[in-house]
Amino acid sequence: MPKTSATIGYVSKVKTEHNVVKEQIIERTVGGDMLNSYSKFNVSDSVNGTLSLSNRFSFIGDAYSFMNYGSIRYIRIHGVNWEVSTVGEKRPRLVLEIGGKYNGPLP
């Protein structure tokens, strides 16, 4: 199990002064283990396929991560933001399954 550090992006809802609800991203850096590493190209009707990962990243959670693991949107590993497809709770660890590239909002 290779050790690595990653940045995890959590989303929270914030009301602005005009009562408009916006998403705010909070990033936290963690260290953990890459459990397996698989990649594949999804080829459809497009010319270029998209890269999808089937990696799992495991890290020891703190109180914040266990209270907000349903709000995890992405994980940044080696400078690339990847979408988190599932989160598993195996106390004291959280296990994230990584899918395709994340293209949503950033802080």
Side-chain angles (χ1 to χ4, degrees):
M1 286 186 280
K3 303 267 186 208
T4 188
S5 68
T7 302
I8 298 175
Y10 297 84
V11 67
S12 65
K13 306 285 184 185
V14 178
K15 273 190 181 182
T16 64
E17 60 190 51
H18 302 293
N19 285 332
V20 176
V21 177
K22 295 178 82 176
E23 288 187 347
Q24 177 183 8
I25 302 291
I26 299 166
E27 291 187 337
R28 297 174 57 97
T29 302
V30 297
D33 302 318
M34 191 62 71
L35 299 179
N36 55 4
S37 181
Y38 304 108
S39 62
K40 64 180 177 179
F41 276 100
N42 295 329
V43 180
S44 60
D45 294 335
S46 64
V47 175
N48 296 327
T50 57
L51 179 64
S52 178
L53 298 181
S54 296
N55 294 351
R56 291 183 348 173
F57 181 78
S58 171
F59 68 98
I60 295 181
D62 58 2
Y64 182 87
S65 60
F66 280 108
M67 288 178 59
N68 297 291
Y69 69 85
S71 299
I72 295 175
R73 290 293 183 265
Y74 66 89
I75 182 169
R76 182 181 307 121
I77 300 175
H78 305 299
V80 180
N81 294 334
W82 297 99
E83 185 178 280
V84 174
S85 55
T86 60
V87 179
E89 183 181 355
K90 293 186 176 184
R91 289 194 182 255
R93 295 177 111 30
L94 286 175
V95 179
L96 309 179
E97 288 194 24
I98 302 167
K101 275 190 160 182
Y102 175 77
N103 294 317
L106 296 171

